[in-house]
Amino acid sequence: MSEHRPGVVPALLKDPYADEYAQPFWDAALDGRLSVPKCTRCGTFRLPPGPFCFECRHQEVEWVDLPGTGTIYTFTIVRHPLRPDLQNVVPYVAAVVELDGTQGAGARMTVNVIDCDPDQVAIGDKVRIRWEKVSDTFAVPRFAPA
Ligand SMILES: [Zn+2]
């Protein structure tokens, strides 16, 4: 209970249990890099990683390191603890962040925005990634105001 911090959703897993398509994302995460797959045919970023391009069904990708910054596209403030042990965590911000370096070929992540006053968060706010290493195989991405 004491490790729970207000506004920070605790990592529930100790391993990403990634498949072959997502493992490079988690390998880069352990290095503190935000690396995402990009279709080699049409340039669409593929988040979450998967076997086929959402746009053209092409299979091959190149992995591109992004700057780890972005803009809040939309968000909600969670005020009700979904489990009793999250009582000390609420309120927290769950947001969809549009990642810098992907505009026009949109890549967005659904993340917890931390180190902020939830009532001051707004669509369009600039945010920056913060990795929390929770085990030797798993680093959790969160974002904080830039
Ligand atoms: Zn494509």
Side-chain angles (χ1 to χ4, degrees):
M1 187 72 77
S2 61
E3 71 183 47
H4 290 180
R5 291 193 291 142
V8 181
V9 180
L12 299 177
L13 303 174
K14 297 299 182 194
D15 188 279
Y17 302 102
D19 61 21
E20 64 187 284
Y21 306 107
Q23 189 61 52
F25 177 93
W26 298 110
D27 289 343
L30 290 172
D31 290 339
R33 291 181 294 112
L34 177 60
S35 192
V36 298
K38 183 179 186 179
C39 177
T40 58
R41 179 187 285 163
C42 76
T44 298
F45 286 91
R46 199 178 302 175
L47 275 180
F52 296 99
C53 176
F54 308 122
E55 291 294 330
C56 76
R57 309 301 290 166
H58 191 61
Q59 289 189 274
E60 291 176 25
V61 296
E62 60 177 328
W63 285 84
V64 177
D65 283 0
L66 299 178
T69 53
T71 304
I72 293 180
Y73 179 80
T74 190
F75 71 100
T76 190
I77 303 170
V78 179
R79 298 183 188 277
H80 179 76
L82 297 176
R83 300 191 323 258
D85 64 322
L86 295 179
Q87 184 66 51
N88 296 333
V89 173
V90 292
Y92 64 84
V93 176
V96 175
V97 170
E98 185 161 45
L99 302 173
D100 288 346
T102 70
Q103 279 77 4
R108 298 173 183 152
M109 290 174 68
T110 303
V111 295
N112 178 201
V113 177
I114 64 172
D115 294 342
C116 63
D117 176 349
D119 291 322
Q120 298 299 312
V121 170
I123 290 171
D125 283 358
K126 301 298 287 183
V127 289
R128 177 179 301 277
I129 202 162
R130 296 248 191 101
W131 297 100
E132 179 195 358
K133 190 172 180 182
V134 296
S135 75
D136 288 341
T137 59
F138 195 27
V140 175
R142 298 189 184 92
F143 280 72

